[in-house]
Amino acid sequence: MIRKLAPLLLALAALPVLAQDQPVDVADLRLAQVAERLQAANVGLCRQHMPLTGLILFSADQYGRPDPVRFADGPLAVAQVLPGSPAHAAGVLPNDAIVAIDGQPVAALEPEEGHPLRDAAHAALADHGPGNPLVLGLRRAGQDLTATITPPPGCRALVEVVAGQDGIARSDGRVIQVSWRYVAQWSDDELAAIVAHELAHSVLEHRRRLEAAGVDGGLLGEFGRNRRLRRQVEAEADLLSVHLLANAGYDPQLAPRFWLSEAGQRMDAGILRSGAYAAPRPRAAAMEAEIAAHLQGKPLPSRAEHLLAERDEPWPGS
Ligand SMILES: [Zn+2]
């Protein structure tokens, strides 16, 4: 679904205690891995790009009580590094503070109101030009270091696990958030289906298009034109999601299968009240028809031109 995010999550307390489930760190890594695979494989379909570094960042201002060990070297630090990623190859380690991005001091970054330093740092990283080496100034145990990495480009999106809230899988066009509990419960394949749907909202530039059409992100459930446009963006995201999956080497059938599964239907039940989604069966049937018409027997990567052409078509009445 698409919805304006609450002005960010400033007071996430300490990470929750998760005795019976997987730790938040593991969930972070799994979600980032699935997301980067989709972002990399679909770089030819999106118009906003970012370097895929393999870094998961966090900042002290995201926490009510920041862990003094993890932020010992500065307020912006590396939470995790994806195994095998460019940042991993360059020797960046968890808990390294990032003090400069391409020579610009992190201390000079100005976060948007209500947003943590992490988001401003993410934007600075995302603005790094493709093809050039990215130079990170690091501080580790009080010592200054430099890491030079050459990340491949991918579709631009900040993907994160939300530890403090349940039952969330959403996108505001820039940030994709999935609750920790969902990530912990779902398989990587199920996560891929969800992230592909949310990334499709970004690739299709739904935030920009809804704003241009005068649809306020907060008005879920409203009748009339808003409701019709919301159904339309959800249907478009569903259709593009099977292309994004196929391009990343996933079985595109993961998407209709997920939305028909118990987990998918449970998610839908909450969202359906907004009227934004079709019922699970027609939803899955539309995705299956898209696969049959545009993916089966066709070469990959799919350019999904018939769907992407919509990006530049204003909606009637906008
Ligand atoms: Zn959606």
Side-chain angles (χ1 to χ4, degrees), residues 10-241:
L10 274 176
L12 287 186
L15 295 178
V17 181
L18 314 163
Q20 75 282 25
D21 289 291
Q22 90 191 179
V24 166
D25 281 6
V26 175
D28 267 337
L29 269 185
R30 286 183 52 227
L31 181 65
Q33 226 142 15
V34 167
E36 286 212 358
R37 178 169 160 186
L38 285 160
Q39 287 169 279
N42 289 293
V43 66
L45 277 64
C46 48
R47 295 194 285 206
Q48 280 86 41
H49 299 149
M50 61 178 262
L52 297 174
T53 59
L55 288 171
I56 302 173
L57 303 179
F58 57 0
S59 54
D61 56 3
Q62 290 178 274
Y63 302 92
R65 281 173 291 139
D67 181 339
V69 174
R70 306 202 78 171
F71 297 106
D73 286 301
L76 176 70
V78 175
Q80 302 214 64
V81 182
L82 287 192
S85 67
H88 183 250
V92 182
L93 296 177
N95 297 351
D96 283 352
I98 296 187
V99 296
I101 297 168
D102 279 335
Q104 297 297 315
V106 164
L109 291 176
E110 291 181 13
E112 276 178 53
E113 199 185 331
H115 291 258
L117 176 62
R118 191 278 313 262
D119 290 16
H122 184 267
L125 280 173
D127 287 339
H128 172 84
N132 307 317
L134 171 67
V135 182
L136 295 178
L138 305 175
R139 193 167 296 139
R140 181 184 301 161
Q143 286 208 306
D144 287 319
L145 308 164
T146 299
T148 303
I149 61 186
T150 311
C155 294
R156 182 166 178 155
L158 172 54
V159 183
E160 68 177 359
V161 174
V162 181
Q165 294 170 64
D166 267 355
I168 289 174
R170 66 186 180 188
S171 162
D172 73 346
R174 290 192 296 196
V175 185
I176 294 171
Q177 296 184 320
V178 185
S179 329
W180 160 78
R181 201 166 293 278
Y182 274 164
V183 180
Q185 286 167 356
W186 294 339
S187 68
D188 285 359
D189 281 354
E190 290 170 321
L191 270 183
I194 267 287
V195 174
H197 174 95
E198 302 302 342
L199 187 61
H201 282 307
S202 300
V203 175
L204 290 162
E205 301 171 16
H206 281 157
R207 179 195 177 102
R208 172 183 64 74
R209 292 162 63 200
L210 283 173
E211 280 174 2
V215 176
D216 174 43
L219 293 178
L220 276 170
E222 185 164 296
F223 288 93
R225 178 165 165 274
N226 277 5
R227 184 184 167 114
R228 181 170 54 74
L229 286 183
R230 292 196 160 279
R231 280 191 97 115
Q232 185 173 333
V233 300
E234 294 311 335
E236 281 184 12
D238 276 350
L239 296 186
L240 184 62
S241 74

